[in-house]
Amino acid sequence: MSASVALARVLVAGGTHGNEWVGAWLARKWERDPSSLQRPSFESVALLANPPAVERGVRYLDQDLNRSFDDPTPGLGSAWEVLRARAILDAFGPEGRTPADVVLDMHTTTANMGLCLIVTNREPFNLQMAAWVRRREPRLRVYAWIDDTLPKSALSTIVPRGATLEVGPTANNVVRGDLLLATERVIGLCLDFVEAFNRGDLATRQPEALDVFVHQRSFDYPRDRAGEVTGFIHPRLQDADFELLNPGDPIFQLLNGETMVYEGESPVYPVFVNEAAYYEKSIAFSVALRETVWV
Amino acid sequence: MSASVALARVLVAGGTHGNEWVGAWLARKWERDPSSLQRPSFESVALLANPPAVERGVRYLDQDLNRSFDDPTPGLGSAWEVLRARAILDAFGPEGRTPADVVLDMHTTTANMGLCLIVTNREPFNLQMAAWVRRREPRLRVYAWIDDTLPKSALSTIVPRGATLEVGPTANNVVRGDLLLATERVIGLCLDFVEAFNRGDLATRQPEALDVFVHQRSFDYPRDRAGEVTGFIHPRLQDADFELLNPGDPIFQLLNGETMVYEGESPVYPVFVNEAAYYEKSIAFSVALRETVWV
């Protein structure tokens, strides 16, 4: 990493999902008064990403905004979130009027993910930011969801430098104070990192090891022939995000009382266990492998 | 209490709020196969109370169904839930085609309420049922929300014998297995109680003491002059349902960092702390007094 690239603008977004209120409340607070986001070497801009969804307390109006950033030229009649994504790109995208160099997007989850930074590429800046923040906030976990075949449809992927912060567990449509304060703290540390990067403070750093949970695949709920869900996350897997899941461990309990077990060949780390928004995506939980990387 | 009144039919409802899936899933399961609800002396009927709301994963379509049972003659153009409440009354109300003698309504909450049976009158049957179940499931708490000036607008109040079961904490639009199994267990114990009542097994029982949390009042979130919420439940009050709140204890933290404290004159028990659905009702939490009653 070199300090030859000075980063001029950081976008801090929340309310990308309108029922995730911790990020939405912070984004609205910082839109009104962004002073606590400022650092000497760059400008921070706060953005309430999907205001009408926040207003109505729903995840989205027409489609998931955080899967809408890959449509370059929306047509007449496009979904609201496609138009909104285009407007955000026109402002903060690489070709935008006020392009962002870094994008931080604040989310919550109903899963017991704790404090989790999600990166979607192996950009050294992102992993170094994660390691730097983690040294100051040891509860932080790093989840890498890297699939170069996927379109860059998430808000944090509109530029190469960026990350999504997930905090949980929490219900939607509430603000948990502990998670709001933790989000505020992690975002502040990310901004401190950008400042250190710009100042060249990191040029002399030694490589350090970072544990990264690398996404492997997702599991759907058990279903009957008509597609209806017939079971729920087994109580032993519920809340067990980032705890080793071994072959033979229970993963689902059917409504008829039967238990289904994990039939993989080797242990994995479950993540996003019982996230409310993923029922419609047919994801009961995902699994990751732990990889130690030098950053 | 006398066994001279034989109770012939128990209505077991769930999905009265369409985003509370534990009750909705159990109601749907039991609508298809009510065999596990049956007892020798009476019939049990399961009811998915608000199917289109469950289908869409929303609390309600037009208005809260659980505040809609007090409108005797809905007009053309009435809200969906008013029509639905009328249809339920026509089937199971006191003047209905197949009147229910007891109504049990299954709910979930985002608040840390544990297993909580809510009664809305001092009908001896209801308190005796609570005491009977609590002896077999000591985690159960009993919350009495008694206000005879309120219309009987909740599903569990369409007949004098009935209760609402609240289990939490859980996000909406998910099924937590532990809470589903606990709900199944408590409903089963309530039905066992009705069976014991009908058999006259309770005629020789001795009075017993029961702790009841009696509703006093509710507190709104701090707001600015425009009515917008300016703070959140203080982290020390979050999840502290049924834990004594003393004068001077923190209740809210403002977004500007200030703390607001409880200014009452005597200790109270907070309940329904940070329930998602109550933001729109301007309720941040309620408080109760503990009363020991002989039942």
Side-chain angles (χ1 to χ4, degrees), chain A residues 244-247 262 264-270 287-290:
Chain A
L244 212 51
L245 179 73
N246 278 294
Y262 174 59
E265 294 188 350
S266 54
V268 287
Y269 294 89
V287 299
L289 292 178
R290 190 160 66 175

Side-chain angles (χ1 to χ4, degrees), chain A residues 23 39 45 56-57 59-61 74 83-84 98 120 155 170 174 191 204 213 219 239 243 248 263-264:
Chain A
R39 300 293 182 275
V45 181
R56 299 180 205 183
R59 185 172 173 86
Y60 54 76
L61 304 191
L83 301 177
R84 179 70 180 166
T98 54
T120 55
L155 175 49
T170 178
V174 305
L191 298 172
T204 57
F213 293 88
F219 288 79
D239 304 328
E243 291 178 24
E263 294 181 337

Side-chain angles (χ1 to χ4, degrees), chain A residues 50 62-75 77-90:
Chain A
N50 199 342
D62 296 326
Q63 69 177 51
D64 188 341
L65 175 59
N66 213 30
R67 300 291 182 278
S68 300
F69 285 90
D70 55 330
D71 188 349
T73 50
S78 292
W80 153 255
E81 276 80 10
V82 173
L83 301 177
R84 179 70 180 166
R86 185 70 252 169
I88 292 172
L89 283 167
D90 287 345

Side-chain angles (χ1 to χ4, degrees), chain A residues 243-259:
Chain A
E243 291 178 24
L244 212 51
L245 179 73
N246 278 294
D249 284 349
I251 52 175
F252 295 114
Q253 183 164 334
L254 304 188
L255 285 167
N256 68 15
E258 286 173 31
T259 294

Side-chain angles (χ1 to χ4, degrees), chain B:
Chain B
M1 180 168 61
S2 144
S4 61
V5 185
L7 306 172
R9 186 175 294 110
V10 176
L11 179 67
V12 179
T16 303
H17 294 136
N19 55 2
E20 300 179 4
W21 284 5
V22 163
W25 282 32
L26 285 174
R28 194 161 50 191
K29 168 182 158 176
W30 289 332
E31 274 190 347
R32 290 170 186 172
D33 178 6
S35 56
S36 67
L37 297 183
Q38 304 312 322
R39 299 293 183 275
S41 70
F42 63 93
E43 177 196 31
S44 296
V45 181
L47 175 70
L48 184 64
N50 199 343
V54 173
E55 183 63 34
R56 300 181 205 182
V58 295
R59 185 173 173 87
Y60 54 76
L61 305 191
D62 296 325
Q63 69 176 52
D64 187 342
L65 175 59
N66 213 31
R67 301 291 182 278
S68 300
F69 286 89
D70 55 330
D71 188 348
T73 50
L76 291 169
S78 293
W80 153 255
E81 276 81 9
V82 173
L83 300 176
R84 179 69 179 167
R86 185 69 252 168
I88 292 172
L89 283 167
D90 287 346
F92 299 108
E95 316 296 325
R97 296 183 300 278
T98 54
D101 296 298
V102 181
V103 176
L104 304 172
D105 192 20
M106 302 178 286
H107 289 251
T108 60
T109 170
T110 66
N112 187 22
M113 293 284 279
L115 310 182
C116 180
L117 205 63
I118 303 180
V119 298
T120 54
N121 59 33
R122 290 187 179 268
E123 171 76 29
F125 175 91
N126 295 334
L127 291 174
Q128 285 167 10
M129 178 169 72
W132 199 91
V133 174
R134 191 172 196 284
R135 215 171 330 119
R136 290 155 180 83
E137 175 48 88
R139 293 179 297 172
L140 190 78
R141 293 194 185 89
V142 183
Y143 179 37
W145 192 328
I146 297 167
D147 183 344
D148 292 331
T149 68
L150 285 177
K152 295 302 184 193
S153 59
L155 175 49
S156 71
T157 66
I158 65 173
V159 292
R161 295 187 181 88
T164 298
L165 177 62
E166 288 279 359
V167 300
T170 178
N172 291 314
N173 301 111
V174 305
V175 170
R176 280 190 67 98
D178 52 355
L179 296 182
L180 183 140
L181 297 172
T183 298
E184 212 164 8
R185 174 170 159 74
V186 171
I187 294 297
L189 289 170
C190 288
L191 298 172
D192 291 345
F193 171 81
V194 176
E195 177 66 15
F197 177 91
N198 276 347
R199 281 204 315 254
D201 291 358
L202 309 174
T204 57
R205 63 187 287 280
Q206 299 298 314
E208 62 183 311
L210 176 69
D211 272 343
V212 177
F213 293 89
V214 181
H215 176 81
Q216 302 297 310
R217 57 166 293 206
S218 298
F219 287 80
D220 189 12
Y221 291 91
R223 295 177 188 269
D224 62 19
R225 280 172 199 162
E228 195 175 317
V229 174
T230 56
F232 47 86
I233 296 285
H234 192 280
R236 281 188 43 198
L237 179 59
Q238 178 69 47
D239 304 329
D241 304 69
F242 297 110
E243 291 179 23
L244 212 51
L245 179 73
N246 279 293
D249 284 350
I251 53 176
F252 296 114
Q253 183 164 334
L254 303 188
L255 285 167
N256 68 14
E258 287 172 31
T259 293
M260 288 175 64
V261 302
Y262 175 59
E263 295 181 336
E265 294 189 349
S266 54
V268 287
Y269 293 89
V271 290
F272 281 120
V273 176
N274 212 357
E275 158 56 42
Y278 291 176
Y279 280 74
E280 71 175 25
K281 295 184 199 285
S282 296
I283 297 175
F285 64 97
S286 299
V287 299
L289 292 178
R290 191 160 68 175
E291 187 181 317
T292 302
V293 295
W294 288 90
V295 299

Side-chain angles (χ1 to χ4, degrees), chain A residues 259-291:
Chain A
T259 294
M260 287 176 64
V261 302
Y262 174 59
E263 294 181 337
E265 294 188 350
S266 54
V268 287
Y269 294 89
V271 289
F272 281 120
V273 176
N274 212 357
E275 159 55 43
Y278 291 176
Y279 280 74
E280 71 176 24
K281 294 184 198 284
S282 295
I283 297 176
F285 64 98
S286 299
V287 299
L289 292 178
R290 190 160 66 175
E291 187 181 317

